[in-house]
Each structure stands twice: as C-alpha cells, then as structure tokens.
Amino acid sequence: MTQWLAQVEELPILVLMGALGLVMLFDAVPLLGVLIPGDVAILAAVGVGRPSTGLATFAAVLAGCLAGWSLSFLVGRRYAERLRHSRIGGWIGESRWSAAEGILNHGGGRMMMVAPFLPVFNTLLPLAAGGLRMSYRRFLGCATLGAAAWAGLYLALGTASRSLAGLLPQAPSPLLVTTGVGLALAFVVLVGARRRFSALAG
C-alpha cells in the first residue's frame, strides 16, 4: 500500500489533474455518478499534490463537473422523456425524476448551486433541467457557481487535513490522512445541506 501511494505521489501533476477531471466528468453522469467517489478523488488529489497545485486542482474539478453536467443537460434537452420511460428511467425511479423537476420548478436555476452537495440528485438535476427547457446560459451560470463552491469546500478541507497530517507523529501518509479527515469534516459540513434538500424533495 505504501509503495502504491508513493508511486501515485510521483506521477506528473498534469496526469493527476487530467485523471481528476475525468473522474469529475463521470461523477456527473446519472447512475454512474453514484458509483464514483468524487469527494474522495478531490481529497486524494490534494493529499498527493503540493500547495502550489491548489489552483490546478480547483480548475480540474470545475472543468470536469461542468463538462459532465453540460452533457447531461444536452441529453435531457433532447431525450429526457424517452429516457424517463426507458429502463434507465426505471433504474433512476419516477419518484426521483418528479422530485428533481419539482425542485427545479420551485427553486429554478439556483438549485444547481446546491446540486453538487446532494447525492444522486447532483447527477439528475442537470438532466431534468434540460428536459424542462431551462436556458443553457442560466443553467451554466448557476452550475458554475455550485461547482466552484463544492470544489472550494473540498480543497479547503483537504488542505486543512493535509496540514494536520504534517503535525501527526511517525509521518503518516498525507494522502490517507487528508482523505480520511477530509471526509469526516465534509460529512459534518454537508449534513445540513442534505437535510435541507430532503425537505425540499419531500
């Protein structure tokens, strides 16, 4: 394990940031996004990176999220109803489709600002927004603010956790400490937002 972590840490920053961007893109795809640990990927990137790579990490997350959400939005614009009544729509569940549409109808584009913080619905809301014929310009503006807030939060948590790793005895792996502590802090920070979303969806 230690040897594998050392090899990851030695990878060029451009390779790491490219991989992070791809993970964020896949994280934005309905169904597939549920299986992709986007938050873990960000924290791991911070753990193996250096302080000077913070901006590159932020940019990779932002670009990956917006690319994935834009693809979902465009698919929703063209195929939302067909997907909704297909096998894929059955896997997602009619209740989730209805909840996503209700949230967007109630909160409009600004709901995309909190979408990154919401499990499952972070991938479904862009698809529903396309199906509801939301303006792409409005969608992209709100999605950019949401992705930036999400990336900034995890970058801050990861940086704080990496600093903590340097204070611990026996020089533990910065990647493991950053990921573990970052996830614990993120759970505390995000639980309020997820409860708020549950209330809206209900």
Side-chain angles (χ1 to χ4, degrees):
M1 181 68 172
T2 303
Q3 183 178 2
W4 179 82
L5 291 176
Q7 291 175 346
V8 172
E9 291 174 353
E10 291 175 359
L11 290 174
I13 293 300
L14 286 178
V15 173
L16 289 173
M17 295 303 105
L20 178 60
L22 285 175
V23 169
M24 292 299 104
L25 190 154
F26 292 136
D27 183 61
V29 176
L31 295 180
L32 180 60
V34 177
L35 306 176
I36 303 296
D39 45 5
V40 174
I42 299 173
L43 293 170
V46 175
V48 301
R50 295 178 288 275
S52 60
T53 64
L55 184 59
T57 302
F58 180 86
V61 173
L62 187 63
C65 285
L66 293 180
W69 289 342
S70 292
L71 287 174
S72 292
F73 178 90
L74 295 174
V75 169
R77 175 65 61 89
R78 186 157 186 166
Y79 303 110
E81 283 304 311
R82 188 180 302 177
L83 285 173
R84 186 169 185 167
H85 298 98
S86 69
R87 181 175 296 182
I88 294 176
W91 291 336
I92 293 174
E94 178 60 28
S95 61
R96 292 192 179 99
W97 279 95
S98 298
E101 290 183 342
I103 289 167
L104 290 171
N105 284 326
H106 176 73
R110 71 176 183 272
M111 290 308 300
M112 285 306 305
M113 297 181 190
V114 298
F117 302 93
L118 310 174
V120 180
F121 287 88
N122 64 325
T123 65
L124 186 53
L125 286 176
L127 196 64
L132 291 173
R133 301 292 171 178
M134 180 184 294
S135 163
Y136 179 69
R137 182 176 180 179
R138 182 184 183 193
F139 166 83
L140 186 62
C142 294
T144 299
L145 292 175
W150 190 64
L153 171 65
Y154 274 97
L155 189 58
L157 292 176
T159 301
S161 302
R162 184 179 173 88
S163 298
L164 177 62
L167 300 176
L168 297 177
Q170 298 181 351
S173 167
L175 189 153
L176 291 178
V177 175
T178 299
T179 303
V181 176
L183 287 176
L185 292 175
F187 175 80
V188 175
V189 172
L190 300 180
V191 68
R194 292 179 177 178
R195 285 178 179 173
R196 174 62 176 166
F197 171 75
S198 297
L200 289 172

